[in-house]
């Protein structure tokens, strides 16, 4: 009994400190590699981010963690979106970022006339990685809600995100994409969707991918038109891009999460998210150049 009271007091102290502290110590990052026997022991490495106090509460069986899957762009590592992972982790999510491609994988080649311009094999590989990572994470952290996922992705990872949501809508709670270019949005209104769009002449969405304003309004889709370039939407992007995206994302989560999911102290949310449909991003600042950055379409 005394030990139980001590544990609860310790958890309460951690919660109190966490809510008033935004320092990095509050979030636990870990890298885990699984090997999928159904695909010749293909390694599926995941980067996991979770608030330490929430992790302890889940380990004690006191709460069930919401789960966010964060999907990276082509040629980009799964660790290059910590500015997004930390927003979800700060709100109490178990954030899982799988590495979808390996150096030994064949290069992605555009094939005009084929579905998703020939990207379907890579998309299906990503879907398989997600399902396998979730299967294995259930063993490591059973006190999490793997049945209703918040799916997030940039560029190619955004296409994996949208394809997964279209194929497995019953497994989805929310969707967030950053410049997905090939897979059309799900417009049945089964869940809320937030999408950040770049202003980049080199990265244009295929026709029919992004719904018009009327469709967005009906389906509960919020499209945020930014002044940033496609490759600004990851850790290597300028601070003003990351801060703006974080603020809008935090507001979206605040509006759509239950009151039980609250963040460690975060920046004041951007007030522009108020209704579905295209939304301009306030004060996007100077647009950075793509020079020297890998293509992630």
């Amino acid at each position: 009994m005394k030990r139980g009271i001590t544990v609860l007091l310790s958890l309460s102290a951690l919660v109190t400190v966490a809510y008033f502290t935004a320092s990095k110590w509050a979030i636990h990052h870990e890298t885990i590699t699984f090997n999928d026997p159904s695909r010749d022991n293909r390694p599926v490495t995941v980067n996991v981010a979770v608030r330490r106090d929430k992790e302890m509460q889940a380990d004690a069986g006191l709460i069930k963690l919401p789960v966010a899957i964060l999907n990276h762009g082509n040629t980009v590592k799964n660790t290059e979106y910590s500015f997004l992972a930390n927003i979800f982790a700060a709100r109490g999510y178990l954030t899982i970022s799988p590495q979808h491609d390996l150096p030994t994988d064949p290069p992605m080649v555009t094939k005009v006339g084929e579905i998703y311009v020939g990207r379907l094999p890579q998309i299906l590989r990503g879907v398989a990685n997600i399902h396998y990572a979730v299967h294995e994470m259930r063993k490591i952290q059973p006190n999490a809600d793997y049945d209703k996922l918040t799916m997030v992705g940039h560029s190619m990872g955004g296409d994996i995100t949208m394809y997964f949501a279209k194929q497995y809508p019953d497994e989805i709670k929310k969707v967030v994409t950053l410049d997905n270019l090939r897979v059309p949005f799900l417009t049945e209104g089964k869940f809320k969707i937030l999408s950040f769009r770049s202003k980049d002449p080199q990265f244009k969405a295929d026709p029919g991918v992004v719904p018009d304003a009327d469709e967005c309004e009906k389906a509960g889709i919020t499209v945020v038109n930014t002044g940033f370039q496609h490759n600004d939407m990851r850790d290597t992007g300028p601070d003003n891009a990351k801060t703006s995206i974080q603020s809008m994302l935090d507001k979206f989560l605040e509006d759509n999460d239950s009151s039980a999911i609250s963040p460690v102290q975060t920046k004041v949310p951007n007030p522009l998210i108020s209704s579905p449909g295209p939304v301009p991003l306030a004060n996007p600042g100077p647009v950075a150049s793509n020079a020297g950055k890998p293509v992630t379409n």
Side-chain angles (χ1 to χ4, degrees):
M1 180 66 176
K2 185 181 294 186
R3 183 173 181 273
I5 293 173
T6 302
V7 170
L8 287 175
L9 287 174
S10 299
L11 289 173
S12 298
L14 275 172
V15 170
T16 302
V17 172
Y19 272 86
F20 291 94
T21 306
S23 56
K24 291 182 179 179
W25 72 265
I27 298 175
H28 172 210
H29 290 267
E30 183 179 6
T31 299
I32 308 170
T33 298
F34 306 115
N35 293 283
D36 187 352
S38 70
R39 292 183 291 165
D40 297 323
N41 285 324
R42 178 186 177 88
V44 179
T45 299
V46 298
N47 185 263
V48 179
V50 62
R51 256 173 60 178
R52 295 180 186 276
D53 63 316
K54 295 296 186 182
E55 183 179 36
M56 290 180 66
Q57 291 176 54
D59 288 344
L62 301 177
I63 63 170
K64 200 168 188 179
L65 298 168
V67 177
I69 306 294
L70 182 52
N71 301 294
H72 63 85
N74 180 46
T75 75
V76 180
K77 297 297 183 184
N78 62 331
T79 54
E80 293 187 45
Y81 296 88
S82 63
F83 83 104
L84 295 176
N86 287 338
I87 283 289
F88 284 98
R91 280 198 163 271
Y93 283 76
L94 175 65
T95 306
I96 304 167
S97 305
Q99 180 62 44
H100 288 305
D101 46 42
L102 303 175
T104 53
D105 290 333
M108 189 170 65
V109 179
T110 299
K111 299 176 182 178
V112 178
E114 292 193 14
I115 186 171
Y116 312 135
V117 293
R119 308 292 168 82
L120 186 57
Q122 286 80 14
I123 292 171
L124 292 176
R125 182 176 67 205
V127 169
N129 290 339
I130 293 167
H131 273 141
Y132 183 66
V134 166
H135 178 267
E136 293 301 303
M137 284 299 301
R138 287 180 186 270
K139 304 173 186 176
I140 294 174
Q141 179 50 272
N143 294 317
D145 185 5
Y146 301 101
D147 297 326
K148 285 292 183 181
L149 304 170
T150 293
M151 197 66 62
V152 189
H154 172 229
S155 192
M156 183 63 182
D159 287 323
I160 292 171
T161 290
M162 199 62 72
Y163 185 89
F164 190 103
K166 289 167 75 75
Q167 297 299 312
Y168 306 100
D170 293 339
E171 298 178 25
I172 297 295
K173 185 176 182 180
K174 290 184 290 290
V175 166
V176 178
T177 71
L178 301 93
D179 247 14
N180 59 301
L181 304 176
R182 311 298 180 185
V183 181
F185 282 56
L186 186 72
T187 57
E188 281 78 4
K190 293 181 179 293
F191 36 75
K192 296 292 185 181
I193 298 176
L194 170 66
S195 184
F196 296 92
R197 314 307 303 179
S198 72
K199 188 178 181 180
D200 191 329
Q202 295 185 43
F203 296 91
K204 296 291 187 181
D206 291 343
V209 169
V210 183
D212 62 28
D214 289 341
E215 287 181 293
C216 287
E217 183 71 29
K218 293 176 184 176
I221 298 170
T222 301
V223 173
V224 180
N225 294 311
T226 79
F228 306 121
Q229 294 197 10
H230 181 82
N231 285 320
D232 290 343
M233 297 177 173
R234 62 178 195 264
D235 286 350
T236 55
D239 288 342
N240 63 326
K242 291 181 288 187
T243 300
S244 295
I245 291 170
Q246 283 178 318
S247 296
M248 298 289 277
L249 175 58
D250 190 63
K251 176 60 175 167
F252 173 77
L253 295 175
E254 180 182 340
D255 289 346
N256 291 285
D257 280 338
S258 68
S259 59
I261 304 175
S262 302
V264 174
Q265 180 184 348
T266 55
K267 294 182 176 63
V268 177
N270 189 317
L272 287 179
I273 287 190
S274 57
S275 61
V279 179
L281 192 60
N283 301 318
V287 176
S289 170
N290 271 333
K293 297 180 181 179
V295 173
T296 61
N297 64 334

